[in-house]
Amino acid sequence: MNKSTAHPCSQSGNRSNIICLLFCLALFLTTAAPVVAEKKKEQSPDKKTAKADAQKKKSATPWVSLFNGKNLDGWKAPEFGGEGEVHVKDGNLMLEMGVDLTGVTLTKVKNLPTTNYEIELEAKRVDGTDFFCGLTFPVKKDPCSFILGGWGGSLCGISSIDGDDASQNSTTTFQTFKKNQWYKIRLQVTDHKIQAWLDGKQIVDQNLKDRKISIRYEVELSRPFGITSFATTAALKNIRLRKLTQQEVAKTAPK
């Protein structure tokens, strides 16, 4: 036998080892691939959400604060007759209980938008049983008011739609309000509708097509932007406003 010739059994053993190694490698790749794919799948939604949030923040217009928490700079207290004291306490804008209305009206209105904007603020009823936030705001050339906690303490809605106030139109709802509890208010006005949220829950979704918008005569001194309370002590803070983007306005258009 030629010494250089490998033993047949040795060749067979080498082939077996190679086949075994290839089989193990194939098995590893087969089992590992779904795990890698699953990890990518798990990470993908988070990355998409983070990207969407970043894009949203980038595209959103900046907020403008309307109350500095220190004094009444930029505001005035209308003389409704029988109004309570208006002052700042502990960073809050206070409307003390009066005989009927107490309020503040914005004086710096040169750049105040009349449509395609939104407002945010926080409000609470400190004392009394009627509305602690009567927010008067512009809707194009005509203002109206968003009432929170009126007519005995729980009624909310827009005054006025087609001449009907907050107690008599399609925006009427009843909410439970506790004394000395802050409530976050968000109100949005576009060319197409008025929307409002209370602590993140939407309570107004009013289309504007073919609707007449107006305010009650009692709050004429609140035009074009003001906040009132009725026989109630109210506290207000974090009052701010921003203009909406074209994309945000488009979302409110009729389908």
Side-chain angles (χ1 to χ4, degrees), residues 43-239:
Q43 293 173 357
S44 181
D46 293 337
K47 288 182 178 180
K48 287 182 179 179
T49 301
K51 185 177 181 180
D53 290 343
Q55 184 63 31
K56 186 176 180 181
K57 289 180 180 179
K58 185 177 179 181
S59 60
T61 54
W63 288 97
V64 176
S65 178
L66 301 179
F67 170 56
N68 62 22
K70 300 176 182 179
N71 51 49
L72 295 175
D73 183 36
W75 298 86
K76 65 180 179 181
E79 296 181 359
F80 293 110
E83 66 277 354
E85 181 187 1
V86 176
H87 61 103
V88 177
K89 179 181 179 182
D90 299 328
N92 303 322
L93 201 166
M94 303 296 301
L95 308 180
E96 298 292 346
M97 185 186 299
V99 180
D100 295 344
L101 290 173
T102 300
V104 288
T105 302
L106 192 68
T107 58
K108 299 178 180 179
V109 296
K110 182 178 180 181
N111 297 317
L112 182 71
T114 59
T115 188
N116 301 330
Y117 67 91
E118 70 178 0
I119 301 161
E120 283 187 356
L121 72 150
E122 292 180 62
K124 70 177 177 180
R125 178 189 286 140
V126 179
D127 196 10
T129 58
D130 217 289
F131 69 78
F132 59 99
C133 180
L135 175 62
T136 297
F137 57 95
V139 183
K140 295 183 180 179
K141 61 183 180 66
D142 298 307
C144 63
S145 302
F146 179 40
I147 304 298
L148 283 162
W151 283 266
S154 61
L155 189 143
C156 301
I158 300 294
S159 287
S160 299
I161 307 293
D162 295 333
D164 296 326
D165 64 32
S167 67
Q168 298 175 313
N169 61 50
S170 60
T171 68
T172 304
T173 65
F174 294 89
Q175 311 293 328
T176 299
F177 296 106
K178 297 179 181 179
K179 282 186 180 180
N180 290 308
Q181 179 171 318
W182 288 104
Y183 293 93
K184 187 171 183 178
I185 301 155
R186 176 185 168 214
L187 183 135
Q188 189 179 92
V189 180
T190 72
D191 295 332
H192 314 291
K193 60 172 59 179
I194 299 170
Q195 298 181 92
W197 293 261
L198 178 65
D199 282 346
K201 175 187 175 183
Q202 187 167 21
I203 60 173
V204 173
D205 187 10
Q206 176 63 55
N207 289 317
L208 293 176
K209 185 178 180 181
D210 300 325
R211 291 288 179 262
K212 180 183 177 183
I213 303 300
S214 61
I215 56 173
R216 289 175 58 119
Y217 70 90
E218 294 95 334
V219 293
E220 280 288 333
L221 295 178
S222 291
R223 301 169 65 118
F225 185 93
I227 307 170
T228 57
S229 65
F230 187 91
T232 294
T233 297
L236 312 166
K237 66 179 182 178
N238 297 329
I239 309 168

